[in-house]
Amino acid sequence: MARAPSIVRESLKVRVQSGFKNPLVVRDGEGCYIKDVDNKKYLDFHSIVCTNNVGYGRPELKEVIKQYSKRGVYKIDGTFFYTEEALILAKKVLKTLPHSLKKVFFINSGAEAVENAIKLVYSKKGPYTGVCMENAFHGRTLGALTFTNSKSIHKRNFPMFPHHELQFCSEKDYCRYKELEDLIVREVTPAFVIMECVQGEGGYRPASKAFVQYLRKITKEHDIAFIIDEIQSGMGRTGKWWSFEHYNVVPDIMTAAKSLQVGATITSAQYDVNKEEIGSISSTWGGGHLIDLAMGSAVMDIIQKENLVKNAERMGKYMLNRFKEIQMKYPGKIIDARGLGLMIGVEMDNKHRQQKIIDAAFKGKLLLLGASEKTIRIAPPMVIDEATADKGIEILEKLIKKY
């Protein structure tokens, strides 16, 4: 007798409905595939929202868990005590970044990483207006939520900080480049600008290079903190360790999480905590969740050892080309196929078609996830090869043809 239906049914009685996408009860995984409690095998085309960039069933990660099972302590207050795991991971993260990004603050999640990026700026400048992009997503905690604009339900009835939204400019958009300058002249010099170089929940939309460089230029000229959110796009997914590398800019502060296994706020010296500010940012488990920190370190080692950043670049080009070919076959159904590395958005002509395809794909053992109103995100584990990619693309093409 199948176990998944009863687990789903009982879960809905005792758990808050936070947005479960399909009745999948995860038990195991191998490579690009997830297995449920009934041993059904699903090809994962979104890496559980980019949290599993190196795939499933990794012996290196199993070994980390095995080694820590021998320990008598797994979680300590990482802001009161030092841990070797936090030191090792911080050094590995900083090694992938420009030298101007000098210090790391570890935290539980991506939203908390954004919260602390904002707090670092407010500590120096005061609680002035922050600037974000239309259709941005930076998290669901109240501070980060102010600067999140991808879906109205995320913010309904919640209070917000002073903020201003700019148009997000992709290569295909007509862009109002002077918008930030106009804000400064008309109203106020903001404390910070925060953006994703590739919007995640906003539809897997890469920003135009000219737009990102313009924002960096204006923020430098006016001493405005420039924060880049790498929570989904980082850790090699776009074919670079960090998506901002595609744009020849360097932020003042960066956030990371998901595939890193912990949240991280990485700052330049300008926004580092000084002696008078010690205690302004803190967290019980920040830098003290030993297993997650060790797992993050092992993930970075795998990415480097197996050259998965290069594979994300190569396979991203391959898969995007395949989707562009499918778009040419069905131009009335697919209005755009875009992306950077293995962060690809296939935008349908309407939400109804998008959802029908996602639901049907689950029945066909392919895991898909929406982004924005009409887009299907394609973000498989970075270990994917052409044969595995072709299996998922073949399923998806049949569904596009059908629906």
Side-chain angles (χ1 to χ4, degrees), residues 25-74:
V25 183
V26 177
R27 181 179 177 84
D28 202 357
E30 190 73 28
C32 294
Y33 290 88
I34 288 175
K35 289 182 180 178
D36 77 352
V37 290
D38 300 310
N39 213 33
K40 293 178 182 176
K41 191 175 175 182
Y42 296 82
L43 176 55
D44 181 7
F45 256 30
H46 61 72
S47 306
I48 312 183
V49 199
C50 301
T51 58
N52 290 273
N53 283 2
V54 299
Y56 304 100
R58 302 288 319 207
E60 304 94 328
L61 302 184
K62 291 179 181 179
E63 182 62 26
V64 170
I65 295 170
K66 179 181 176 182
Q67 291 302 318
Y68 278 84
S69 71
K70 302 171 185 177
R71 299 270 194 101
V73 61
Y74 312 107

Side-chain angles (χ1 to χ4, degrees), residues 68-116:
Y68 278 84
S69 71
K70 302 171 185 177
R71 299 270 194 101
V73 61
Y74 312 107
K75 295 177 78 171
I76 66 169
D77 190 320
T79 55
F80 281 0
F81 304 102
Y82 296 97
T83 68
E84 187 176 21
E85 290 82 357
L87 171 63
I88 291 169
L89 184 56
K91 283 185 171 181
K92 287 181 180 179
V93 169
L94 292 174
K95 192 175 180 180
T96 67
L97 290 165
H99 294 309
S100 60
L101 291 166
K102 294 182 177 296
K103 294 282 187 75
V104 181
F105 176 70
F106 289 120
I107 198 73
N108 300 293
S109 66
E112 290 168 275
V114 171
E115 292 282 349
N116 284 284

Side-chain angles (χ1 to χ4, degrees), residues 156-175:
R156 187 179 299 164
N157 294 336
F158 297 138
M160 290 186 284
F161 294 157
H163 71 289
H164 181 87
E165 296 173 19
L166 298 181
Q167 177 194 7
F168 179 86
C169 299
S170 72
E171 294 289 357
K172 298 176 181 179
D173 294 325
Y174 169 77
C175 194

Side-chain angles (χ1 to χ4, degrees), residues 211-229:
F211 177 59
V212 177
Q213 291 182 344
Y214 161 77
L215 291 177
R216 176 71 284 201
K217 176 179 178 290
I218 300 304
T219 52
K220 277 186 175 180
E221 288 177 359
H222 293 270
D223 191 27
I224 301 165
F226 191 44
I227 304 171
I228 292 182
D229 181 334

Side-chain angles (χ1 to χ4, degrees), residues 327-368:
Q327 181 188 6
M328 291 177 69
K329 291 182 185 178
Y330 307 101
K333 297 181 178 181
I334 302 175
I335 63 173
D336 194 20
R338 56 182 177 259
L340 205 52
L342 284 173
M343 200 169 177
I344 297 168
V346 179
E347 186 172 354
M348 311 311 294
D349 62 322
N350 62 70
K351 181 174 179 59
H352 178 71
R353 194 187 311 278
Q354 174 220 44
Q355 196 57 54
K356 285 199 77 169
I357 289 170
I358 291 171
D359 292 344
F362 177 72
K363 294 176 182 176
K365 306 297 188 296
L366 174 66
L367 298 181
L368 298 174

Side-chain angles (χ1 to χ4, degrees), residues 130-323:
V131 171
C132 58
M133 306 297 133
E134 293 175 351
N135 301 313
F137 187 93
H138 297 293
R140 298 174 187 266
T141 51
L142 285 178
L145 194 61
T146 292
F147 307 99
T148 289
N149 307 293
S150 58
K151 291 186 177 72
S152 60
I153 187 62
H154 295 157
K155 303 176 76 162
R156 187 179 299 164
N157 294 336
F158 297 138
M160 290 186 284
F161 294 157
H163 71 289
H164 181 87
E165 296 173 19
L166 298 181
Q167 177 194 7
F168 179 86
C169 299
S170 72
E171 294 289 357
K172 298 176 181 179
D173 294 325
Y174 169 77
C175 194
R176 301 188 298 273
Y177 277 106
K178 297 286 187 180
E179 204 174 355
L180 179 57
E181 289 173 277
D182 290 344
L183 173 68
I184 293 168
V185 171
R186 185 180 69 249
E187 295 181 30
V188 66
T189 299
F192 61 85
V193 172
I194 184 169
M195 75 173 303
E196 307 153 275
C197 290
V198 183
Q199 287 198 323
E201 303 307 307
Y204 274 39
R205 300 170 64 214
S208 83
K209 191 169 184 177
F211 177 59
V212 177
Q213 291 182 344
Y214 161 77
L215 291 177
R216 176 71 284 201
K217 176 179 178 290
I218 300 304
T219 52
K220 277 186 175 180
E221 288 177 359
H222 293 270
D223 191 27
I224 301 165
F226 191 44
I227 304 171
I228 292 182
D229 181 334
E230 293 278 3
I231 291 162
Q232 273 198 65
S233 58
M235 296 290 285
R237 176 148 294 279
T238 65
K240 302 278 188 186
W241 267 106
W242 310 103
S243 67
F244 70 76
E245 296 177 67
H246 293 280
Y247 296 87
N248 298 325
V249 299
V250 178
D252 297 304
I253 302 173
M254 186 192 91
T255 61
K258 293 195 182 292
S259 187
L260 187 61
Q261 308 302 301
V262 294
T265 307
I266 303 103
T267 183
S268 60
Q270 182 178 356
Y271 295 97
D272 189 13
V273 172
N274 61 37
K275 288 182 180 179
E276 289 74 29
E277 295 166 343
I278 291 173
S280 61
I281 63 171
S282 184
S283 167
T284 302
W285 304 131
H289 194 316
L290 305 185
I291 297 176
D292 281 353
L293 290 162
M295 292 285 271
S297 186
V299 165
M300 293 194 77
D301 288 345
I302 292 167
I303 291 171
Q304 187 166 21
K305 181 181 177 182
E306 298 187 5
N307 206 10
L308 295 184
V309 178
K310 190 68 178 176
N311 193 58
E313 178 187 26
R314 184 180 69 84
M315 286 302 304
K317 289 177 180 176
Y318 175 79
M319 294 183 75
L320 182 56
N321 285 336
R322 288 291 312 275
F323 286 117

